[in-house]
Amino acid sequence: MSGTTAAAGGHHGEPGGFLRKYVFSADHKMIARQYMFISLFWAAVGGYFAYIIRWQLAHPEADIPLFGRPIGPDEYNAFVTMHGTIMVFFVAMPLLLASFGNFLIPLMIGARDMAFPRLNMLSVWVLGAASALLLLSFFVEGGPAAGGWTGYPPLSARTAYVGADKGMDLWLLALALEFASFLMGGINFLVTPLNMRTRGMGLLRMPLFVWMVMIASLLFLLSVGPLVAGAVMLLLDRNLGTSFFLASGGGDPLLWQHLFWFFGHPEVYVILLPGLGAMMEVMPTFSRKTIFGYRPIIVAVLVAGALSFVVWAHHQYISGLDPRLATPFSVTTILISVPFALIVFALLATLWGGSIRLATPMWFAVGGLAVFIFGGLTGIFNGSAAVDIYIHDTYFVVAHFHSTFFSALFLAGFAAIYYWYPKMFGRMMNEALGQIHFWGTFLFFLAVFVPMHLVGVGGMMRRIANPGQYEFLAPLSGLNRMITMSAVLLLLSQFFFAFNFFWSMFRGRRAPDNPWEGTTLEWTTPSPPPHGNWPGEVPQVHHPPYGYGLPGAGEDWVPQHRPAPSGAGAGR
Amino acid sequence: MSTAAHASAGAAESTPFPSAKLGIWWFLASEIMVFGGLIVSYLLFRMAGPGWSAELHHNSTLLGTVNTLILLTSSFTMVEVHRAHGRGEEAKFRLHLALTILLGLVFLAIKGAEYTAHIREGLVPAKSMFWAFYFGMTGLHGLHVLGGIVANACLYAVAARPGGVARYGHRAEMNGLYWHFVDVVWIFLFPLLYLG
Amino acid sequence: MFAWLPENVSTFGGDIDSIFRFIYYIVGFWFLATQGFLIYCLIRFRRRPGRRPPYLHGNNLSQAAWILLPLVIVLVLDLWIDFRSADVWAKVKVGGPRPDVVIEVTGKQFNWIMTYPGPDGRFGTADDKKVENELHVPVNKVVQVVLRGEDVIHSFFLPQLRLKQDVVPGRAIRAWFQATKPGKYEIPCAELCGFGHSGMKGWLHVHAEAQYKEWARKMWPGS
């Protein structure tokens, strides 16, 4: 087994020099930090765009503070497009899947690094190249892509239709590179847990976060292909005059939608699952109780993943698809609520009877769960083809998917950052600032996205630059202004995080090895872990994760690497 | 999962498959979805319309067949490379690797000649849906062939060093898996684009 | 929440609204149940010294039953939503009643172009009339619109009639509605279609029978 033995002894020694250590590093922990900084940079950009979008909707055609002038409808489309593209592909995937996947998989399964460290380094560099192309697209003539993050042709296929010219091609190339980056990353996230586990770490003893990252990577690898094919066709349509998506030349605009959404729905879970996985780590630790339903959760996620391949047309009920297809897709879509309900119930049952300490990571985890339930439930409306006739392409949809994405990406993402920050940077974050950050984020999030559902009920269309142009939307202007105010406050709350994040890196209290009394392997090594992850031998694993409250055990928790006391029911 | 105890600590639990092989398999699974997306799109358009038999006849069945045989032969030589590594036959390893690279180049040369002839006749991608698919599918496949040639050339470069075959020869298996995949894709494209 | 819905003025709008409400009550129940449970846990089981939580792993059937039983309820309610929803979908989108009036609507950056067949009721004849952005229909009559796109995808949206249908170049997609109240209603485009997407709108004029005849007389003075 060449791959497994090669990394075991730390086959690449401690790197020396600034460039080798911080830039061209093949160490999974440094790569994780690189991914984190890339995603936080883009999160700041994406958040700024959200602010511009919201300001325009509340005060159309007014000067935008911190931008300096009003924006035109063409610029508005570009901001909407780039906000979506950035948040989905350059924030959510790098932060949850790549950053925490990279950092935690080897530490959690007891490996010294990923299976393919150099491929890992390549993947973050390709993401860097994708980021550079995306940045470049802001400065080319015609501006960046403006066809929506879904890039529906024919709009996206012809410069005459969309306005953006080379910006559109750069957008496609940036996405193609992003996909390539995550294909490489995904191969690592799949192979490492399969082949690099320490002694005693059976597949069903891996922490759930590792399972979630594995399944997310699997979904990505199997779903992105058709969209890559679609991107190739769209590039040909744009540059070689073909007509794959243009009816005038014999093509079909709906083909793109099939290719895009075949990828699009699994992609939702690519983002969601690592977030849920982070909640599944944080919640047992802070309720001092083992996860409820480890195996049922894994089965449910696999079922949801499989179902996600047969629901794509729920984005296309009213697209001109044969209307008889809507009902079967509506059934599969709504059935997805069954496995996700199981996951939610399992997490709630994990809390039941626990001894819950509400530190910042736990606040973000339970807040994330509460919002995830809310967002999941509003998805049922969209899943029903009949209701979708009215709410499709309205702010109801926007409010729904922000509720699910925000809970998984930001609330669960912050839970993960506050929880693993001590391990990653060797310092504790400030607890008081963390709690202020949580309440600001949580309450202002609700103040933005609960009323946004009402805006959708009122019929306001997505991606319109000026609701003031419509009489039937006039009653919504007060709501829109209130949402914008809340969004500004939501964004301002993030400064508590930014300050805490960078200040703690240098001034935070030194972190002990195991500040939260967690049971998984990442807590058995110093914070931050040395090159090779464990100073001595990699610990051996004796029982499943989350060994809290084991009957017969003297202490209320038994880490995975410590043999369970005799008579303790930790055999499963 | 095996619990074979390695002398070195860690990585004791794994599947029976080497990591590199697993990695290639996952990669190829995603590649199947890329070409699958293209082929399904092609079939949908073809079934929706009156068919493309007129356009298909522009393609030379002879050249297509020759190219198919070339790729099949190169798959065979690729297998020989892998076998030579197993038996430690360094000269044979390098010879068959060079042959594989050469056959790949011949394939691309013939493809290039076909492209040139088509474009001279005005049969460019924008001409019709068939030609859009033809150039899109064979072009993407050609890029994959090129990628395989580059990978094999890199392997040749390290295998040409003294002791290189013993040290890097196991990579022939990974290159081979990829090369066979490229071959199989062509086996699908050939009837779709040449035979009708 | 439903106070924010625009007034419904179509025959099938009430059906869509009733599914909307039906789902609202079901998910409202789950929302209250799960969030109530969550808040209860956070208060009741907050950390106290010496408290030792029970070991509930949920991996065997007797424990997993606690989450599997509610799951059965979820499944039943899902299917109930599916069945009710499928009926309404079929009514609005599959087939549709025989039309009294047929009008072609073409989406084009950034206008709706209405083509009326004229008194002969046939398209492609000399008395066809094209009008930008003004759609005139009689009240209480089944109106069929044939939707075509010239350039990019648009979406024909009648908020007060709860009707939405994408307009796709290369296809002629039929949709129908029956307005129940005379008035003037906006026709926004609901699919991003370029820089003029916002503000691409037409007007739907629903006329009482006499006014409709009056309008037709003005449009086709000879007949």
Side-chain angles (χ1 to χ4, degrees):
Chain A
M1 261 159 240
S2 55
T4 54
T5 48
H11 66 298
H12 47 94
E14 182 89 50
F18 178 84
L19 276 183
R20 288 289 303 280
K21 187 166 180 197
Y22 293 106
V23 186
F24 298 103
S25 171
D27 186 316
H28 71 102
K29 299 181 292 297
M30 186 52 66
I31 290 173
R33 277 174 257 184
Q34 291 168 344
Y35 271 118
M36 180 171 282
F37 285 111
I38 291 177
S39 67
L40 290 179
F41 163 75
W42 280 118
V45 176
Y48 176 59
F49 289 0
Y51 157 77
I52 291 176
I53 292 167
R54 274 319 314 176
W55 196 275
Q56 162 73 12
L57 289 174
H59 312 284
E61 285 156 29
D63 273 359
I64 299 175
L66 296 177
F67 188 70
R69 61 179 175 86
I71 54 169
D74 46 346
E75 286 176 297
Y76 180 83
N77 290 347
F79 280 123
V80 167
T81 304
M82 295 320 269
H83 169 75
T85 303
I86 288 169
M87 287 301 193
V88 170
F89 295 111
F90 290 84
V91 180
M93 290 176 69
L95 181 67
L96 292 165
L97 188 63
S99 180
F100 282 106
N102 253 307
F103 187 71
L104 292 172
I105 286 176
L107 286 171
M108 280 180 159
I109 64 168
R112 298 222 182 254
D113 205 320
M114 295 297 249
F116 310 108
R118 275 187 297 174
L119 187 71
N120 207 12
M121 178 171 84
L122 190 60
S123 71
V124 77
W125 279 99
V126 170
L127 183 69
S131 298
L133 285 188
L134 199 68
L135 272 178
L136 181 66
S137 79
F138 287 95
F139 303 103
V140 295
E141 206 178 320
W149 83 278
T150 52
Y152 279 9
L155 181 64
S156 59
R158 286 282 179 269
T159 300
Y161 293 153
V162 72
D165 183 16
K166 285 286 164 274
M168 212 70 216
D169 293 319
L170 285 171
W171 175 78
L172 274 166
L173 289 173
L175 286 189
L177 283 183
E178 204 264 5
F179 296 155
S181 162
F182 277 86
L183 279 177
M184 293 186 259
I187 287 169
N188 252 323
F189 302 148
L190 274 166
V191 175
T192 308
L194 284 176
N195 269 8
M196 308 279 288
R197 285 163 282 136
T198 184
R199 261 174 303 152
M201 180 61 85
L203 282 174
L204 288 175
R205 285 178 173 183
M206 295 194 303
L208 280 169
F209 180 82
V210 178
W211 270 103
M212 295 300 130
V213 170
M214 273 180 84
I215 296 171
S217 304
L218 181 66
L219 294 179
F220 183 79
L221 287 187
L222 295 181
S223 66
V224 77
L227 183 57
V228 171
V232 169
M233 294 188 224
L234 190 52
L235 276 170
L236 292 178
D237 273 6
R238 290 187 56 76
N239 295 298
L240 286 184
T242 58
S243 305
F244 288 108
F245 305 120
L246 294 162
S248 51
D252 185 357
L254 289 193
L255 174 64
W256 170 268
Q257 298 183 19
H258 289 296
L259 298 172
F260 188 92
W261 291 118
F262 180 82
F263 160 77
H265 206 82
E267 168 71 7
V268 172
Y269 298 141
V270 172
I271 292 170
L272 216 60
L273 293 181
L276 284 176
M279 290 183 203
M280 292 169 191
E281 299 301 322
V282 171
M283 289 172 72
T285 304
F286 285 90
S287 26
R288 313 310 294 165
K289 204 163 154 282
T290 196
I291 193 94
F292 188 91
Y294 178 93
R295 283 180 219 188
I297 287 175
I298 293 171
V299 172
V301 173
L302 287 171
V303 169
L307 275 175
S308 75
F309 283 93
V310 290
V311 298
W312 79 89
H314 67 215
H315 299 269
Q316 299 170 254
Y317 288 145
I318 60 152
S319 68
L321 197 74
D322 188 328
R324 288 166 300 181
L325 287 175
T327 296
F329 277 103
S330 186
V331 171
T332 54
T333 300
I334 292 184
L335 277 184
I336 274 201
S337 64
V338 175
F340 274 104
L342 185 142
I343 295 165
V344 165
F345 293 151
L347 287 175
L348 289 173
T350 301
L351 295 177
W352 177 261
S355 173
I356 298 170
R357 183 156 79 90
L358 287 166
T360 308
M362 186 61 167
W363 271 123
F364 272 106
V366 291
L369 179 62
V371 173
F372 178 70
I373 293 171
F374 174 67
L377 289 173
T378 60
I380 305 278
F381 294 97
N382 300 297
S384 155
V387 178
D388 188 67
I389 297 172
Y390 177 65
I391 59 178
H392 184 86
D393 268 331
T394 67
Y395 267 82
F396 197 92
V397 178
V398 178
H400 155 69
F401 72 71
H402 277 86
S403 300
T404 53
F405 274 11
F406 195 94
S407 58
L409 167 54
F410 287 112
L411 295 175
F414 284 133
I417 291 176
Y418 282 100
Y419 185 61
W420 282 295
Y421 185 96
K423 188 54 66 182
M424 215 173 204
F425 296 102
R427 306 254 183 183
M428 304 296 289
M429 288 180 85
N430 183 288
E431 178 68 17
L433 284 175
Q435 300 229 1
I436 296 171
H437 174 223
F438 168 73
W439 285 108
T441 305
F442 184 69
L443 294 177
F444 292 123
F445 168 82
L446 294 180
V448 172
F449 289 100
V450 175
M452 193 180 284
H453 283 89
L454 302 179
V455 172
V457 173
M460 180 162 150
M461 296 78 69
R462 291 174 80 168
R463 295 163 170 170
I464 54 167
N466 184 356
Q469 289 167 301
Y470 300 89
E471 286 177 14
F472 80 104
L473 298 180
L476 303 174
S477 64
L479 268 181
N480 267 326
R481 279 198 297 278
M482 179 258 179
I483 291 171
T484 296
M485 271 331 290
S486 309
V488 169
L489 292 168
L490 174 62
L491 288 167
L492 287 177
S493 305
Q494 305 317 308
F495 284 100
F496 290 103
F497 169 74
F499 175 76
N500 200 353
F501 186 87
F502 290 107
W503 184 82
S504 302
M505 211 174 279
F506 303 104
R507 294 291 168 83
R509 187 161 55 83
R510 291 236 175 247
D513 290 1
N514 191 358
W516 317 113
E517 300 184 318
T519 59
T520 40
L521 286 187
E522 77 269 29
W523 305 112
T524 62
T525 182
S527 308
H531 192 71
N533 291 347
W534 282 269
E537 287 276 295
V538 175
Q540 186 179 344
V541 163
H542 296 278
H543 50 87
Y546 324 118
Y548 301 102
L550 289 177
E555 295 201 35
D556 83 327
W557 60 294
V558 184
Q560 260 190 301
H561 69 290
R562 201 174 299 158
S566 57
R572 52 182 61 256
Chain B
M1 69 204 83
S2 78
T3 44
H6 285 269
S8 53
E13 302 266 355
S14 68
T15 63
F17 312 103
S19 294
K21 216 180 214 178
L22 275 181
I24 289 278
W25 281 349
W26 288 125
F27 171 66
L28 294 184
S30 67
E31 286 276 27
I32 287 173
M33 295 304 289
V34 175
F35 283 100
L38 271 174
I39 289 173
V40 169
S41 304
Y42 171 93
L43 290 174
L44 285 174
F45 272 104
R46 189 162 160 180
M47 290 187 299
W52 289 323
S53 52
E55 288 92 338
L56 278 160
H57 283 135
H58 274 283
N59 277 330
S60 158
T61 314
L62 176 67
L63 287 178
T65 313
V66 168
N67 252 352
T68 308
L69 290 176
I70 287 173
L71 270 196
L72 283 175
T73 314
S74 76
S75 259
F76 171 74
T77 56
M78 195 73 225
V79 171
E80 287 299 306
V81 176
H82 176 49
R83 268 200 208 143
H85 169 247
R87 297 188 191 130
E89 297 164 328
E90 301 216 351
K92 203 178 159 200
F93 183 96
R94 286 193 280 268
L95 172 69
H96 281 101
L97 192 56
L99 275 177
T100 311
I101 296 170
L102 187 70
L103 288 167
L105 289 171
V106 172
F107 175 90
L108 286 184
I110 293 179
K111 201 80 229 136
E114 285 183 271
Y115 275 11
T116 318
H118 290 319
I119 292 168
R120 285 229 178 97
E121 282 182 69
L123 302 173
V124 291
K127 172 87 176 163
S128 74
M129 284 304 284
F130 175 81
W131 293 106
F133 271 112
Y134 170 81
F135 281 100
M137 290 160 96
T138 57
L140 193 66
H141 177 260
L143 285 177
H144 279 76
V145 173
L146 189 63
I149 291 173
V150 170
N152 279 339
C154 290
L155 180 58
Y156 190 90
V158 292
R161 292 183 208 155
V165 173
R167 190 151 171 224
Y168 299 103
H170 63 275
R171 291 191 191 166
E173 192 184 2
M174 310 309 144
N175 286 18
L177 282 171
Y178 173 78
W179 194 254
H180 297 325
F181 165 78
V182 172
D183 195 358
V184 169
V185 170
W186 179 258
I187 302 288
F188 277 91
L189 296 189
F190 175 54
L192 287 174
L193 297 171
Y194 286 81
L195 302 180
Chain C
M1 160 154 143
F2 294 103
W4 295 95
L5 276 171
E7 181 195 8
N8 164 47
V9 295
S10 79
T11 47
F12 53 61
D15 297 316
I16 290 178
D17 290 354
S18 81
I19 300 287
F20 210 156
R21 277 169 211 273
F22 176 65
I23 298 176
Y24 179 71
Y25 293 127
I26 289 178
V27 303
F29 160 74
W30 283 115
F31 179 79
L32 294 176
T34 50
Q35 308 287 8
F37 186 91
L38 180 62
I39 292 167
Y40 176 81
C41 284
L42 293 187
I43 296 169
R44 169 80 177 71
F45 302 114
R46 67 187 181 276
R47 179 157 303 180
R48 291 201 192 86
R51 174 178 178 82
R52 191 174 173 124
Y55 184 69
L56 300 170
H57 53 73
N59 281 326
N60 57 19
L61 198 61
S62 63
Q63 287 191 13
W66 285 99
I67 56 175
L68 293 178
L69 287 178
L71 217 56
V72 174
I73 307 176
V74 171
L75 180 64
V76 170
L77 291 175
D78 277 359
L79 293 175
W80 196 7
I81 293 172
D82 284 330
F83 282 124
R84 285 202 54 185
S85 172
D87 287 345
V88 175
W89 171 266
K91 179 177 176 182
V92 180
K93 288 285 185 180
V94 184
R98 169 190 282 279
D100 301 311
V101 179
V102 181
I103 301 161
E104 283 193 359
V105 178
T106 304
K108 185 185 167 188
Q109 283 184 330
F110 298 97
N111 281 302
W112 298 112
I113 295 160
M114 320 294 179
T115 309
Y116 298 92
D120 65 354
R122 290 210 306 274
F123 290 100
T125 52
D127 63 350
D128 287 9
K129 287 241 158 107
K130 277 188 200 292
V131 182
E132 276 194 3
N133 293 328
E134 306 288 331
L135 181 58
H136 295 266
V137 301
V139 73
N140 294 327
K141 289 272 164 40
V142 176
V143 177
Q144 187 182 70
V145 284
V146 184
L147 299 163
R148 294 177 200 278
E150 281 212 351
D151 36 35
V152 303
I153 297 174
H154 302 276
S155 190
F156 181 81
F157 183 23
L158 297 174
Q160 289 87 350
L161 287 93
R162 310 287 189 266
L163 177 67
K164 194 181 289 130
Q165 177 59 54
D166 280 5
V167 177
V168 183
R171 289 171 195 234
I173 300 169
R174 285 163 199 275
W176 71 278
F177 60 85
Q178 186 173 359
T180 55
K181 188 177 162 189
K184 194 178 164 201
Y185 309 102
E186 279 160 303
I187 314 174
C189 171
E191 181 70 59
L192 179 63
C193 61
F195 70 88
H197 168 53
S198 187
M200 171 171 172
K201 68 168 185 178
W203 289 97
L204 171 70
H205 303 267
V206 178
H207 297 291
E209 202 175 341
Q211 277 81 22
Y212 184 70
K213 283 193 175 130
E214 177 69 26
W215 168 80
R217 242 199 318 280
K218 274 190 198 148
M219 284 284 282
W220 291 274
S223 52

